Amino acid sequence: MYIRRTKTKTTDQGGASFTYRIVESVRVGTQVKQRTLLNLGKDFAIEPAQWPLLTARIEQFLQGSKPHQAELFDLADDLGQLLEAAAERYSTLIIAKTGTTGGFSIIRSGLS
């Protein structure tokens, strides 16, 4: 699972417009395909350096895992709390979109 920045259009002044998506790679037969799990919109404010932490925590929520002890100590700062809240929100939205309440492996197996 990762976050992808996608160019959606170019303005008349030459500037580009972007949206952000949570995407997963899935093997279908011999091919690897990407599936958008959630569109985050154009106003996604989390810095790219934090994206791997965010997606890792989203995966933990989807799998029903609890954070490791070291991760709990990192939540003392504002950024950690922001990432935790975002991960919880996005994992809830992914579950609502896919229609499952099970773990991440169940979401993946729902692909055709």
Side-chain angles (χ1 to χ4, degrees):
M1 176 183 300
Y2 58 95
I3 296 174
R4 174 185 287 163
R5 180 178 159 207
T6 305
K7 183 177 176 182
T8 54
K9 63 181 178 180
T10 304
T11 63
D12 293 338
Q13 294 82 18
S17 179
F18 297 94
T19 62
Y20 299 87
R21 300 172 184 168
I22 297 177
V23 178
E24 72 172 342
S25 294
V26 180
R27 182 169 295 280
V28 179
T30 59
Q31 298 178 333
V32 177
K33 300 198 177 229
Q34 284 74 41
R35 177 175 81 142
T36 299
L37 294 174
L38 188 64
N39 187 349
L40 302 172
K42 65 179 182 173
D43 298 324
F44 184 64
I46 296 174
E47 294 294 321
Q50 304 302 322
W51 294 357
L53 295 172
L54 177 62
T55 55
R57 187 62 182 123
I58 291 169
E59 286 181 349
Q60 286 179 340
F61 273 115
L62 293 175
Q63 294 169 354
S65 301
K66 298 196 184 291
H68 301 292
Q69 190 68 24
E71 294 170 355
L72 290 174
F73 292 123
D74 291 339
L75 293 179
D77 65 353
D78 290 339
L79 179 60
Q81 292 175 0
L82 171 73
L83 290 176
E84 183 73 8
E88 187 172 1
R89 182 170 156 252
Y90 296 143
S91 62
T92 301
L93 291 171
I94 290 169
I95 290 169
K97 179 183 174 191
T98 61
T100 62
T101 57
F104 189 55
S105 60
I106 293 172
I107 293 171
R108 284 191 177 185
S109 65
L111 293 174
S112 53

